[in-house]
Amino acid sequence: MSDLPLDVHAEVAAALRSGRPVVALESTVLAHGLPHPVNMQLAHDLDREVRAHGAVPAIVAVLGGRIKVGLTADELQRVATEPGVLKVSRRDLPLVVARGLAGATTVAATMLAAHWAGIAVFATGGIGGVHRAAPQDISADLPELARTPVMVVCSGAKAILDLPATLEWLETHGVPVIGYGTSELPAFYSRASGLQLAARADTPQQVAAIVRAQRALGLGGGMLLAVPVPAASEVPASQIEQAIATALVAAQVQNIVGAAVTPFLLQQVAAHTGGTSLQANLALLRNNAAVAAQVAAALV
Ligand code: PSU
Ligand code: MN
């Protein structure tokens, strides 16, 4: 393990050594998911939310070919503003490390880095999943959830995806999906999807108990804690559906494929719904960071 090209920020390392709660945060949402300077403001807001709930934040990114767990202010600035920061998922890690490049980590790559650093809880907005127009396009986030023992706190998968197919995939591969204060899978911008979940928890202690049982059983793999967007920031599904339909057509017409699909669709939906979807996105990210900190605190 010591040979890993991994740099754990001193504050994060100290917290982990002394058994204090730590929450990992991804950087793809900062570099490829949100415009500047909203992304920098969000990074600071997430930092504050995690600390306000008693945990230490650790944004994950790759710089100079080193996997960083916890960024300095300069490093955060680079990830959020430099052009050419790559989108790095599991398959991209060897190339980016070998070439000494800069990259922002997806949910899959952030889970790996968190696990290597010894962090059990990770907060983000939405995971990748099974795409609607192309069911063979399955995000690497899903198999990562099936194999890497990190809890991902999110608001479900973004509504651009095939939510029923994504939920089925997680069931097949044994990934527990727990609704936080809900019995339904949240649909990112909207609180409900109509898709019932098998598990619900209403307190950080209940969540921590399920994680401990997963460990005790030696099941391996991760877990999803699905937290609905705060009600005041919710966007009705009907408003989002129109924008998604338009975005899916645009992706097809412009022949967008591979890793470019998700950032393209997210950017199109944001452009077509104006401020409302952006505000919902930011609100759920802040809320998920706060919930993750409380769960991390209940787990240590
Ligand atoms: N969902 C969002 N915003 C994002 C992403 C997902 O609302 O920025 C990013 C995450 O980093 C996620 C990635 O891990 O997109 C999934 O990309 P793909 O579908 O190419 O695996
Ligand atoms: Mn894909």
Side-chain angles (χ1 to χ4, degrees):
M1 288 301 259
S2 55
D3 286 344
L4 280 169
L6 190 74
D7 296 335
V8 182
H9 189 284
E11 186 195 14
V12 175
L16 290 169
R17 263 198 313 275
S18 58
R20 284 182 290 130
V22 175
V23 172
L25 301 164
E26 64 149 308
S27 47
T28 291
V29 65
L30 299 176
H32 302 284
L34 293 167
H36 187 78
V38 173
N39 58 355
M40 283 299 286
Q41 181 60 49
L42 173 72
H44 290 124
D45 290 349
L46 296 183
D47 192 281
R48 204 187 47 233
E49 287 293 342
V50 170
R51 290 182 195 282
H53 294 86
V56 172
I59 299 179
V60 173
V62 188
L63 289 168
R66 306 276 306 174
I67 299 164
K68 306 279 180 187
V69 178
L71 303 180
T72 64
D74 282 355
E75 288 168 343
L76 172 60
Q77 182 81 24
R78 283 191 61 191
V79 172
T81 62
E82 254 185 29
V85 172
L86 300 168
K87 174 182 166 185
V88 177
S89 195
R90 168 184 272 264
R91 65 121 198 238
D92 310 295
L93 282 169
L95 180 105
V96 175
V97 167
R99 303 233 169 121
L101 301 172
T105 50
T106 64
V107 168
T110 306
M111 285 182 77
L112 277 166
H115 177 53
W116 288 330
I119 301 171
V121 182
F122 158 29
T124 185
I127 59 162
V130 181
H131 280 267
R132 288 196 204 181
Q136 75 281 12
D137 183 351
I138 299 173
S139 172
D141 296 352
L142 298 188
E144 207 59 54
L145 279 159
R147 69 198 288 185
T148 299
V150 170
M151 159 159 277
V152 179
V153 181
C154 67
S155 297
K158 221 166 203 175
I160 57 168
L161 298 166
D162 185 335
L163 297 187
T166 300
L167 201 53
E168 292 292 348
W169 195 103
L170 292 168
E171 180 187 346
T172 298
H173 294 84
V175 181
V177 182
I178 303 168
Y180 194 66
T182 182
S183 304
E184 274 187 44
L185 181 72
F188 201 80
Y189 304 110
S190 322
R191 289 176 61 82
S193 64
L195 299 167
Q196 293 298 310
L197 296 176
R200 169 184 177 139
D202 293 286
T203 65
Q205 289 72 27
Q206 288 176 2
V207 177
I210 300 171
V211 174
R212 285 199 194 95
Q214 185 189 36
R215 289 175 183 169
L217 290 165
L219 289 171
M223 202 181 288
L224 214 56
L225 184 64
V227 186
V229 61
S233 305
E234 179 177 30
V235 185
S238 56
Q239 254 179 56
I240 293 292
E241 268 313 310
Q242 186 56 47
I244 291 171
T246 309
L248 288 170
V249 170
Q252 210 163 16
V253 168
Q254 296 181 46
N255 196 27
I256 308 292
V257 294
V261 172
T262 296
F264 177 86
L265 292 175
L266 297 180
Q267 182 264 324
Q268 290 276 312
V269 169
H272 289 298
T273 56
T276 50
S277 72
L278 180 61
Q279 288 316 312
N281 201 345
L282 297 173
L284 66 86
L285 278 156
R286 289 190 296 261
N287 188 54
N288 294 348
V291 170
Q294 292 168 277
V295 170
L299 254 181
V300 294

